Amino acid sequence: MTPEQTRRTTLLASLALLALAACWGSTFFMIKDLLDRVPTLDFLALRFTVASLALLLVAPRAIARLSPVVRRHAAVLGLLYGVAQILQTAGLAHTPASISGFVTGLYVVCTPLLAAAILRTRIPRVTWAAVALATVGLAVLALDGLSVGYGEAITLASAVLYALHIVGLGAWSSARDAIGMTILQIMVIAVVCTIATAPDGIVLPDRTSDWVSVLYMAVVVGALGLLGQTWAQAHLPPTRSAIIMSMEPVFASLSAVWLGGEDVTARLLVGGTMVLVAMLTVELAPRRAVEGEVPHIAV
């Protein structure tokens, strides 16, 4: 690629992750309403099963084209993400939603730490500054006091697993294998969530509107979202990806104001601005100053 093509691809990858964060943030109201009628793990199992079937219909041979090594990587990433979903859900039962959102968002801090430890990458000062600013912004958005108990502990464990998923995806994904890796990851997530909920039986939605919500979150947010993340992280280092995705709670708050009629608060303005500035810092600073990372490793 020429330098101009590389810059264009990097910009598209950043925009793809930003769009993904917006989609995640927009689903909070739908999920909250749906979970009044469908248990959380049942919803997750159904969502990722539908997502995997949708992608298999579109690209039935994509997994077969993957090498054994790539399949193994995709299975590990799917397992990490599936267990993280279950831990986050279990933690939410013991933790207020705002605190759960903040603790989950600590993957922004965990990602550069794990990238440095696992990939032996050097994280430049400007990136650490952006990570710190994003973390403080998340705290301003979400926290109104914090006590560390069982719920917070297992939610933090989910944040570490999400960070591992981001690091692994940045190291192992390639644009060529994006579709196959996405399908296999989602299939593994579906299996993990189904195993977790199967002993109690699986409750299916009984309203047409609920099925519409499930299909949107499975196909648009789940399948296409993870496909976009897998492709984008083939072109971006893990820490940069994590900072961009930290915009999710900002979009969630904006959705609450726009769709839920909530008031615009000083916390929303201050916290959201801090996260936005953190994202713009890694996007607008010179690339070499931000990314002292080697985004891919051979295994």
Side-chain angles (χ1 to χ4, degrees):
M1 277 191 187
T2 66
E4 180 61 30
Q5 289 174 322
T6 299
R7 282 193 295 272
R8 190 180 302 118
T9 301
T10 300
L11 176 60
L12 287 174
S14 298
L15 291 174
L17 288 184
L18 188 61
L20 177 60
C23 286
W24 283 342
S26 72
T27 61
F28 277 44
F29 281 102
M30 268 187 269
I31 293 175
K32 184 176 181 180
D33 176 63
L34 184 63
L35 294 185
D36 289 337
R37 295 174 296 280
V38 180
T40 302
L41 287 176
D42 299 56
F43 159 67
L44 292 174
L46 178 61
R47 174 184 179 181
F48 288 110
T49 298
V50 171
S52 61
L53 290 175
L55 284 174
L56 280 172
L57 286 174
V58 174
R61 297 187 181 89
I63 294 179
R65 288 195 288 265
L66 298 177
S67 69
V69 171
V70 174
R71 290 180 199 169
R72 189 160 58 246
H73 290 166
V76 170
L77 292 172
L79 182 62
L80 286 173
Y81 197 95
V83 175
Q85 289 268 306
I86 293 172
L87 289 176
Q88 183 185 9
T89 301
L92 189 57
H94 303 276
T95 309
S98 60
I99 293 179
S100 175
F102 168 70
V103 176
T104 302
L106 290 179
Y107 68 75
V108 177
V109 179
C110 298
T111 298
L113 293 174
L114 291 172
I118 297 172
L119 304 183
R120 297 289 189 264
T121 58
R122 184 184 67 82
I123 310 299
R125 292 178 183 176
V126 65
T127 304
W128 280 118
V131 166
L133 186 60
T135 303
V136 175
L138 289 170
V140 172
L141 273 172
L143 292 187
D144 186 14
L146 175 63
S147 59
V148 179
Y150 171 74
E152 289 80 10
I154 60 175
T155 303
L156 180 59
S158 78
V160 173
L161 292 181
Y162 283 131
L164 278 172
H165 180 266
I166 292 170
V167 171
L169 203 55
W172 292 335
S173 63
S174 69
R176 182 186 66 254
D177 296 327
I179 295 177
M181 283 193 74
T182 299
I183 296 173
L184 190 50
Q185 283 183 84
I186 291 179
M187 289 176 67
V188 172
I189 296 167
V191 169
V192 169
C193 294
T194 300
I195 290 174
T197 193
D200 298 325
I202 298 178
V203 176
L204 298 177
D206 56 9
R207 297 183 182 182
T208 301
S209 59
D210 288 347
W211 275 106
V212 171
S213 295
V214 168
L215 288 173
Y216 168 73
M217 287 182 279
V219 177
V220 177
V221 182
L224 296 182
L226 191 54
L227 176 60
Q229 184 185 358
T230 301
W231 175 83
Q233 286 205 238
H235 303 284
L236 295 172
T239 301
R240 184 172 181 169
S241 300
I243 293 172
I244 295 171
M245 289 188 288
S246 70
M247 284 291 291
E248 177 190 355
V250 179
F251 284 118
S253 298
L254 292 175
S255 296
V257 172
W258 183 32
L259 300 175
E262 295 186 10
D263 296 330
V264 177
T265 64
R267 289 174 62 175
L268 171 58
L269 292 174
V270 174
T273 298
M274 294 175 78
V275 176
L276 179 60
V277 170
M279 186 195 72
L280 291 176
T281 297
V282 298
E283 287 303 303
L284 299 178
R287 187 171 180 180
R288 280 181 296 179
V290 172
E291 295 178 3
E293 306 187 11
V294 179
H296 289 81
I297 56 175
V299 177

